Amino acid sequence: MHPKDPHRRTTLTTAALLTAAAALVAGCGSGPSTGAAPPSAGCPTALASAGTAVARAENADASWHGPTTGPAAVPGKSVVYVAQTMTNPGVAGVAKGVEEAAKAIGWRVRVIDGEGTPAGIQAALSQAITLHPSGIVIGGFDPQLTSQQMARAEAADIPVVGWHAVGSPGPSERPRLFTNVTTKVEEVARISADWIISRSGGDAGVVLFTDDSIPFAKNKAELIRKELATCSGVRLLTYENIPIPDAASRTPQAVSSLLSRFQDDWTYSVAINDLYFADAAPALRAAGRQGSGPPFNIGAGDGDPSAFQRINSRQFQAATVPEPLNQQGWQIVDEFNRAFAGRPASGYVAPVHISTAGNSAGATSWDPSGYRDGYRRIWGG
C-alpha cells in the first residue's frame, strides 16, 4: 500500500463505505461481533471489487432487462414438466411459473413428479413422451440419467427445454436441449464469496458446504473457493462434503463438530444450496449461538421459501443468492414459443441477486418485476 497515493486512499475509502452499507443491508446488529469488520489491509483491491458487486446484486428495484421482441403466441400447444422431485422447492417453484405462464399464453401443462430417484425420473420422462406433448421440460435433473428417453424425445421431434439440466445456460447439443434456463454458476459462486469478503471487511473464517457427488455442485464449490482466495484475510477453515440426500442426518452432527473444532474462528458459512442451513440451525441453536450472530450464512442456490423465512427472521441465515424461479418458468414457456415458431432461443440469462432481511421486504421468494408484462407484450404480437 502507498499512503501518499490518493487513488489508493479513495479505493480504500470506497471499500469501507460499501462494506458498511452491505453490513447494514444484511441486518447486522450492534457491536463488533455482528457488524462488518474494518477493511483488511490484506486485500484492498478484492474488497473494493466485492463491495461494488454486492451493492449491485442487492438492488431490489432492478427493472426488466429480458427480451422485448419475439414471435407471437403459437396457439394450441401442450407442455409436460418432468420434475426431479416436487419436494425440491426450486423445482416446484419453476413448475408453478410454467403453469402460470402457460395459462397466460393459452397452453395446457401437466407436471409429472420423478420423486427424486433415477428410476422414478426415467419413468416420468417415458410417460411424458407417450403423451405426445408439444414440448417437455427437464426440471432440475441431469439428462444423462435419462439418455434413452432423451433419444426417444429427439426421435419424436419433441423440443426439450431444461431448467438446471446442464451446467451452463443456453442451447445444448449433448444432451440435445433447445435451451437450458439457469443463472450462470460462475456468477452465483462469485457473488456468494464476494458477499463474505465485503461483509466481513476481508477478515473471515469460512466453512463451505457442498455435495461433490453432483458435478454441478462440485464445480460451484470450487468456484466459491477460488473467489474467497482472492482475499488473503478470508480463510477457508474446511470444505464439508455432505451429499444433499444425507444433509438432514449428517449436517447437525457436522455442525456440532465444527463448532467444537473452530469455536469463534468460524464466522461465516457458504453452501451450494440453502437447505444445509435448515439442517444446521438446530445444532447452532443447541450450542447457544444467536440466530442473528456468527456464523453468518449465505446460500449459493435457489432461494427457497424456508431460506427467506430464516433470513427475514434472522435465524441462522443472513443471505441467499436466489433464482427468480417464477420468472424462469415464464422464460421456459417463452423459449418453447420460440422453438414452435422456428426461431432461436432468446439467449436471456437472469442476473444474480442477493436477498437479505434488508431488501426482501418480507417476501419468501425473489420475484423481480416487469417480466410478466414483458412476455405478454411479446406473445400478444
Side-chain angles (χ1 to χ4, degrees), residues 202-223:
D203 182 13
V206 183
V207 172
L208 171 56
F209 294 94
T210 188
D211 180 352
D212 279 352
S213 70
I214 303 173
F216 181 84
K218 183 177 182 180
N219 179 45
K220 183 190 291 187
E222 289 298 332
L223 291 167

Side-chain angles (χ1 to χ4, degrees), residues 305-321:
S306 67
F308 275 85
Q309 290 164 5
R310 288 190 296 275
I311 291 165
N312 294 335
S313 61
R314 294 177 170 84
Q315 289 297 306
F316 305 105
Q317 186 166 351
T320 185
V321 183

Side-chain angles (χ1 to χ4, degrees), residues 2-379:
H2 303 286
K4 294 183 180 181
D5 183 346
H7 175 71
R8 183 63 60 89
R9 286 200 300 272
T10 301
T11 300
L12 288 174
T13 302
T14 302
L17 290 172
L18 288 167
T19 301
L24 289 172
V25 169
C28 299
S30 60
S33 64
T34 56
S40 166
C43 65
T45 302
L47 189 56
S49 175
T52 300
V54 167
R56 185 186 309 115
E58 287 183 341
N59 178 14
D61 298 321
S63 58
W64 172 239
H65 293 295
T68 57
T69 61
V74 178
K77 297 299 183 179
S78 63
V79 170
V80 176
Y81 184 97
V82 180
Q84 178 252 347
T85 171
M86 288 295 283
T87 63
N88 181 320
V91 172
V94 175
K96 180 181 176 182
V98 169
E99 290 174 327
E100 183 183 283
K103 183 177 181 180
I105 202 173
W107 296 350
R108 291 174 290 111
V109 172
R110 179 166 176 177
V111 176
I112 303 177
D113 191 346
E115 300 181 345
T117 67
I121 292 167
Q122 290 165 5
L125 187 51
S126 291
Q127 183 183 354
I129 295 167
T130 62
L131 294 172
H132 304 291
S134 308
I136 294 174
V137 184
I138 300 297
F141 60 89
D142 183 354
Q144 303 286 50
L145 293 172
T146 56
S147 56
Q148 291 183 354
Q149 289 81 8
M150 289 292 291
R152 285 174 53 201
E154 184 174 348
D157 201 27
I158 301 173
V160 178
V161 170
W163 179 78
H164 285 208
V166 293
S168 300
S172 170
E173 285 296 323
R174 294 286 182 270
R176 175 67 65 84
L177 300 173
F178 178 74
T179 195
N180 181 54
V181 176
T182 181
T183 49
K184 292 182 178 178
V185 65
E186 297 86 355
E187 295 180 359
V188 172
R190 187 181 305 116
I191 202 66
S192 305
D194 283 347
W195 181 85
I196 292 174
I197 294 169
S198 176
R199 192 186 186 284
S200 70
D203 182 13
V206 183
V207 172
L208 171 56
F209 294 94
T210 188
D211 180 352
D212 279 352
S213 70
I214 303 173
F216 181 84
K218 183 177 182 180
N219 179 45
K220 183 190 291 187
E222 289 298 332
L223 291 167
I224 292 171
R225 189 208 299 255
K226 182 178 179 181
E227 183 69 8
L228 290 172
T230 64
C231 182
S232 59
V234 174
R235 305 164 305 284
L236 183 61
L237 301 177
T238 185
Y239 181 102
E240 288 294 306
N241 176 27
I242 300 175
I244 285 176
D246 300 336
S249 60
R250 290 181 51 182
T251 302
Q253 182 178 354
V255 168
S256 296
S257 176
L258 292 169
L259 287 170
S260 176
R261 180 179 171 189
F262 297 113
Q263 301 183 36
D264 291 342
D265 288 338
W266 179 12
T267 56
Y268 284 82
S269 311
V270 57
I272 54 95
N273 191 294
D274 294 301
L275 64 84
Y276 288 97
F277 300 128
D279 300 319
L284 291 167
R285 188 177 292 112
R289 294 299 179 104
Q290 297 298 309
S292 60
F296 302 105
N297 302 321
I298 181 168
D302 286 12
D304 65 75
S306 67
F308 275 85
Q309 290 164 5
R310 288 190 296 275
I311 291 165
N312 294 335
S313 61
R314 294 177 170 84
Q315 289 297 306
F316 305 105
Q317 186 166 351
T320 185
V321 183
E323 298 274 343
L325 301 173
N326 203 75
Q327 175 190 294
Q328 289 174 331
W330 279 67
Q331 182 183 346
I332 287 169
V333 169
D334 182 65
E335 301 292 1
F336 273 126
N337 195 54
R338 293 167 192 272
F340 301 152
R343 302 278 285 276
S346 72
Y348 177 65
V349 180
V352 292
H353 175 73
I354 298 174
S355 290
T356 67
N359 70 1
S360 70
T364 56
S365 65
W366 167 231
D367 194 27
S369 62
Y371 66 89
R372 291 177 177 88
D373 289 341
Y375 283 124
R376 283 192 180 104
R377 280 192 292 269
I378 294 173
W379 301 337

